[in-house]
Structures are given as C-alpha cells and as structure tokens.
Amino acid sequence: MRPVTEHDIRTSFVNCSKGEAKRLGLPKDLADQPWEDLDFLGWRDPGAPERAYLVAERDDRLVGVSLRATSGGSRGFTSRSMCSLCLTTHPGGGVALMTARRTGESGRQGNSVGQYLCADLACSLYTRGRKQAAGDGVVVVEESLTPAEKAVRTRANLHSFLDKVTG
Ligand SMILES: [Zn+2]
C-alpha cells in the first residue's frame, strides 16, 4: 500500500466516532512501516491493548476499521488457531477474536462482525515470510502458494470482511 499519514488514518475510520478516531493511539513507528510489503496497516493501540485497528485501501480511498480484541486464552497452550485473513496458524494467543461494530443503522442497533485475526495484525508480513509465527516447525501446514498469491488471497479475505462491516 502507499504510505499514509496520521491525518489520512484519523479521517479514514468508518465504524467509530470522530472523537475516538481523533484520540486513538497510532503505531509508534508510523513513518517506518514497510509500506511496500503491506496489504493493510494493522496495529494494536499502544495505550489500550484490547483495541486494534486496521486501515486498508479500497478503490483508491482508505477505509479504517476499529476493532475490539478478545484473546482466545481458554483454548489451551498447545492448541493452534488460524487467522481468517492470511490463514497463518499460531499457537495459543497468537490469534485473537476481533470484533468490529458495523456501520450505519445496523451498527447503531449494536450489530458487529467478529473474525479471528493474527493478534498483532501483521498478516502482510507472515504471508511474505518477513515474520514467523511462534512455534513454526512443530506443525507446518504446507502451502504451494507463492507469497504474492498469498497476498492476493489475504486482500480478498480482507475485502469480504470489510464488506461485512460496511454492507
Ligand atoms: Zn493474519
């Protein structure tokens, strides 16, 4: 994706109030993100760990989504879970249930959409082999896709998630 500024991010959110968008904590190293390798910018709020955000390009505009994270702590240390965007499997805690309030009337009625995502929202880096899931080598799911093909799949999964939030 193309590099984005603080202003771009704060004005991109579709499912939270302007006040929240103004106050939310940005990634500390925003200027140094590996933009060329990002399908979307995702991060946990440095000041509020249960909050997470993702910002993606859609049709030449930015769409930001505010998320609430619930860690799947009760699943046990040895179990692994899979991110629904990039399909990376992680040991316990590496995947979190993230819930997004839907936009518009549906959101005002309290409806939300939940998906299991990489807890650090670094899907783009996992698919490109720039970051490894903890415990890799114990259970390896062999995939024949290239990193570029995985990135295409991640973006497709992300877009269907965004459709559910805004649809
Ligand atoms: Zn992921």
Side-chain angles (χ1 to χ4, degrees):
M1 65 187 287
R2 66 183 168 81
V4 297
T5 64
E6 173 173 351
H7 176 80
D8 296 334
I9 292 173
R10 294 199 189 279
T11 52
S12 73
F13 282 89
V14 295
N15 73 333
C16 68
S17 69
K18 285 204 169 70
E20 182 185 345
K22 208 170 154 184
R23 288 188 306 270
L24 60 84
L26 294 174
K28 288 195 189 86
D29 47 356
L30 183 62
D32 298 321
Q33 296 290 320
W35 300 104
E36 281 180 20
D37 285 337
L38 293 185
D39 300 308
F40 65 91
L41 178 66
W43 72 100
R44 300 292 284 256
D45 191 322
E50 79 286 359
R51 296 186 181 194
Y53 312 99
L54 67 83
V55 172
E57 285 171 333
R58 277 208 95 174
D59 306 325
D60 285 335
R61 80 191 182 94
L62 285 179
V63 177
V65 173
S66 167
L67 301 154
R68 291 290 175 277
T70 320
S71 65
S74 61
R75 290 173 153 230
F77 187 69
T78 53
S79 71
R80 296 177 70 88
S81 350
M82 186 184 282
C83 168
S84 64
L85 294 185
C86 66
L87 310 192
T88 300
T89 54
H90 295 269
V95 166
L97 177 62
M98 305 258 186
T99 307
R101 203 184 74 185
R102 296 185 63 186
T103 59
E105 185 54 31
S106 177
R108 278 191 290 277
Q109 289 171 8
N111 293 311
S112 59
V113 183
Q115 280 206 278
Y116 285 94
L117 307 180
C118 292
D120 58 4
L121 296 129
C123 301
S124 312
L125 303 183
Y126 293 116
T127 56
R128 286 165 179 79
R130 289 190 52 159
K131 204 167 179 182
Q132 304 288 327
D136 252 2
V138 182
V139 183
V140 178
V141 180
E142 285 295 340
E143 282 210 280
S144 55
L145 298 184
T146 65
E149 288 167 334
K150 287 186 193 174
V152 168
R153 182 178 62 189
T154 299
R155 287 196 291 271
N157 290 336
L158 174 63
H159 288 171
S160 71
F161 176 56
L162 295 177
D163 285 343
K164 284 183 211 154
V165 174
T166 59

